[in-house]
Amino acid sequence: MRADRLVSLVLLLRQRGRMTAPALARELEVSTRTVLRDVEALSAAGVPVYAERGRHGGFALLPGFRTELTGLNHEEALALLTAGSGRGEQVFGLGSALASAMRKVVDALPEDHRSTANDAARRFLVEPETDLLSRRTVTDEVSRPAMSEIRRAVLAGHKLRLHYTATDQPPRWRTVDPIGLVTVRDRGYLLAMRAGADRTYRLSRVLAAEELPEPAERPSRVDLDAAWRERCARFLSTDHLPVLVRVRPERREDLLATAVAVRAAEPDPDGWLRLEATFQDLWHAEWALWQLGTDAEALTPDPLRTALRDRAAAMATRYGAPT
């Protein structure tokens, strides 16, 4: 852990030049005292870092000093920098690790490519917080200590204790065998087994977690993509309402934002899209499709069409021309 921090400190000074101890502490998420100890350790190891006194002072490296890191070509570095420029740093509590990795990526580039790659990455925006309709995208908040415990248990193959809040239930502790972590639309999930049965836990509902020393009872190999598809299919087949709907292409994203799931989009001859959507129940489907107005049409089931027709008739009566 400290070795990674020392490398990050050197890279920060290489890429930004002179930096104060408080500025380094903010970047590395440590105390100023820790930064001072790290600088002493680097100097003792022969790294040419020196202090400049005065109002505009700070720490800096002797000009020309370069760490020995493996190189990347321009396209590889650009891909990594672009991927790290979105909100992916919030996934699975790896924000600090991502920031450190990005510094190493930049440092691995040849001198003449470094500024070019940084500038190019700034011209790509991945998953902004708002869309064109100024709707703010909601990202799950996950406790960092809990996420660290979960991540360690998943990678080490150890059992895991979770203090978890299920829907409409008080929080309680449970012991699970973790299989893997999945993120979908900025929501994180833990795939696990409990008493031999498949379980899926939403990470934002984990209040606390504890990695246990006992080995997890889980398959040695796992296809997370297949496991996720199976669990999605099982989830959607239980107490949910399937709806066949037509929608204008420009309103497809609005439908995606309200449905539990949307599958099998096919174009109709008139340019509309025909979709298989899943909703929680009849009331949810009626509410969601009503938001789309005449830009969507429910084809099945019949009770949904009837509910929408009755609602439209009631609205027409309410707002009809005065007699």
Side-chain angles (χ1 to χ4, degrees):
M1 180 69 178
R2 191 191 185 196
D4 288 340
R5 191 175 68 242
L6 292 175
V7 171
S8 292
L9 194 157
V10 171
L11 295 181
L12 281 169
L13 294 179
R14 271 188 48 76
Q15 293 162 19
R16 301 190 188 180
R18 185 187 306 111
M19 294 183 68
T20 64
L24 286 166
R26 285 193 298 272
E27 286 287 343
L28 299 173
E29 298 182 355
V30 296
S31 67
T32 302
R33 180 172 296 181
T34 297
V35 168
L36 296 177
R37 285 200 300 264
D38 287 350
V39 168
E40 289 181 4
L42 288 170
S43 296
V47 177
V49 56
Y50 65 96
E52 294 186 355
R53 309 295 179 184
R55 181 179 178 185
H56 301 292
F59 294 106
L61 294 169
L62 287 177
F65 175 76
R66 178 168 177 79
T67 53
E68 293 298 328
L69 296 175
T70 57
L72 298 173
N73 65 40
H74 185 268
E75 293 296 317
E76 290 169 339
L78 179 58
L80 290 173
L81 289 170
T82 301
S85 67
R87 289 183 295 142
E89 71 275 6
Q90 301 173 21
V91 176
F92 306 142
L94 293 172
S96 298
L98 180 63
S100 175
M102 291 302 104
R103 286 192 287 269
K104 293 176 183 177
V105 168
V106 172
D107 195 82
L109 289 173
E111 190 82 31
D112 55 343
H113 288 176
R114 204 170 297 151
S115 60
T116 304
N118 265 322
D119 181 68
R122 292 189 191 101
R123 300 186 185 278
F124 298 155
L125 180 59
V126 181
E127 293 293 336
E129 292 188 0
T130 56
D131 63 16
L132 286 175
L133 300 179
S134 297
R135 295 174 302 190
R136 191 172 182 84
T137 308
V138 178
T139 302
D140 275 356
E141 295 293 332
V142 184
S143 162
R144 179 175 293 185
M147 191 65 249
S148 295
E149 292 287 317
I150 294 170
R151 194 171 61 244
R152 282 198 297 266
V154 168
L155 296 178
H158 290 168
K159 287 184 178 292
L160 182 66
R161 286 187 74 226
L162 299 176
H163 195 209
Y164 188 78
T165 305
T167 306
D168 300 326
Q169 294 182 22
R172 66 184 181 88
W173 286 93
R174 61 200 76 195
T175 300
V176 303
D177 298 299
I179 294 175
L181 293 166
V182 176
T183 178
V184 181
R185 296 184 190 173
D186 293 321
R187 292 179 179 177
Y189 299 90
L190 168 68
L191 274 58
M193 298 183 71
R194 186 162 173 255
D198 290 344
R199 294 287 186 268
T200 303
Y201 301 99
R202 188 162 168 179
L203 294 177
S204 60
R205 293 177 180 165
V206 177
L207 305 179
E210 179 187 357
E211 179 191 5
L212 301 178
E214 297 87 15
E217 299 176 11
R218 66 182 191 180
S220 58
R221 291 179 174 272
V222 63
D223 183 342
L224 270 188
D225 189 51
W228 180 252
R229 286 199 304 269
E230 291 173 5
R231 296 189 186 204
C232 288
R234 195 180 313 138
F235 173 76
L236 295 175
S237 66
T238 305
D239 298 327
H240 284 79
L241 180 70
V243 174
L244 183 61
V245 58
R246 278 170 28 94
V247 64
R248 291 185 182 275
E250 60 268 24
R251 301 302 300 275
R252 178 180 179 274
E253 293 301 319
D254 296 320
L255 182 63
L256 286 174
T258 55
V260 174
V262 174
R263 296 183 265 172
E266 296 181 359
D268 272 352
D270 59 1
W272 283 39
L273 295 176
R274 186 176 295 245
L275 307 168
E276 296 177 15
T278 303
F279 296 92
Q280 295 174 6
D281 50 31
L282 182 62
W283 183 91
H284 179 210
E286 179 186 348
W287 172 85
L289 292 177
W290 184 260
Q291 312 308 309
L292 300 178
T294 57
D295 290 334
E297 177 189 3
L299 302 178
T300 62
D302 288 339
L304 175 58
R305 290 179 60 87
T306 299
L308 288 167
R309 184 180 63 243
D310 291 347
R311 178 182 283 212
M315 290 293 286
T317 300
R318 175 70 59 87
Y319 294 102
T323 56

